[in-house]
Amino acid sequence: MCHRAGMLTLRATTPDDLRHLAGWETEPDTSTWLGETGADWHARALTDLDQEHLVAADGDALVGFAVLAGLRGGEGIELRRMVVAPAHRGAGRGRALLEAVLARAYRDHGAGTVWLDVKEHNRRARRLYESSGFVVREMRTNAIANPDGTAADLVIMVHQLGREPAAPS
Ligand SMILES: CC(C)(COP(=O)(O)OP(=O)(O)OC[C@H]1O[C@@H](n2cnc3c(N)ncnc32)[C@H](O)[C@@H]1OP(=O)(O)O)[C@@H](O)C(=O)NCCC(=O)NCCS
């Protein structure tokens, strides 16, 4: 399996890769936006047959990762996590990673839809998803904890195979 989008190549994550990813997740502008993190979460994603852990590389450099879930059936494939390394943000890597991950879900896993949840105040990620063709399906109030113990609302978004990206606003 190998998908290229822009300069990125998507491949299966190895246990060795996890050392890099763990550092990205503890950075505050990442951990704020995620649910559970840590070595055990990633180890489960690597071994669970219902999930697929993927890294995006530009040459030898790892620039992001994504985790797909729901591969064994259910209500479409879930994009459970997507992170661009802090040093690589704001340069189109997130969009390229999302494009490669959607190609993986639709072409290789035969998905008809891809869904995800995102914290309501994560405007950066929501803008990326909306401009890539995801639409809001549901809002869940106080559905997830922030690192400071407060509760955050979650937005459930869905992407359909063949959906054209929204025109820029
Ligand atoms: C969200 C994330 C994956 C986006 O990746 P990125 O490489 O920073 O984003 P890109 O440079 O590819 O930009 C893609 C789009 O995101 C939006 N975006 C990027 N940076 C933004 C910012 N600072 N403010 C608002 N929107 C922003 C824009 O719509 C942009 O498209 P445009 O450049 O055509 O306007 C990345 O910032 C990240 O890993 N964030 C922390 C973890 C996270 O929130 N993951 C998602 C959890 S659901």
Side-chain angles (χ1 to χ4, degrees):
M1 177 276 298
C2 180
H3 277 290
R4 290 190 65 81
M7 298 299 287
L8 296 189
T9 302
L10 201 62
R11 63 164 174 79
T13 305
T14 66
D16 211 33
D17 294 326
L18 294 183
R19 287 180 294 113
H20 300 277
L21 315 189
W24 304 346
E25 281 196 337
T26 52
E27 185 264 344
D29 188 32
T30 312
S31 59
T32 308
W33 309 117
L34 307 181
E36 185 186 345
T37 59
D40 289 350
W41 187 92
H42 286 280
R44 281 200 303 278
L46 275 190
T47 53
D48 182 358
L49 295 178
D50 194 52
Q51 301 186 54
E52 185 171 56
H53 205 308
L54 300 161
V55 285
D58 181 353
D60 290 336
L62 297 185
V63 298
F65 76 89
V67 174
L68 293 174
L71 303 183
R72 306 182 93 182
E75 49 171 312
I77 286 182
E78 175 190 0
L79 174 52
R80 182 161 287 178
R81 182 154 303 171
M82 170 173 160
V83 171
V84 168
H88 290 280
R89 288 180 193 160
R93 303 310 184 108
R95 192 174 294 285
L97 173 58
L98 183 58
E99 192 182 307
V101 166
L102 290 174
R104 175 76 178 147
Y106 291 132
R107 289 187 212 148
D108 300 336
H109 293 302
T113 59
V114 174
W115 69 276
L116 56 83
D117 61 47
V118 54
K119 286 184 177 177
E120 193 274 335
H121 59 299
N122 191 350
R123 292 186 185 188
R124 179 175 54 190
R126 288 185 61 186
R127 282 185 63 127
L128 169 61
Y129 299 143
E130 280 158 15
S131 63
S132 299
F134 279 84
V135 295
V136 175
R137 184 170 71 183
E138 189 186 335
M139 303 283 286
R140 293 187 188 155
T141 308
N142 296 333
I144 190 169
N146 289 314
D148 66 3
T150 58
D153 299 343
L154 273 183
V155 183
I156 314 297
M157 305 186 79
V158 184
H159 189 281
Q160 285 184 344
L161 176 62
R163 174 170 288 153
E164 294 298 320
S169 52

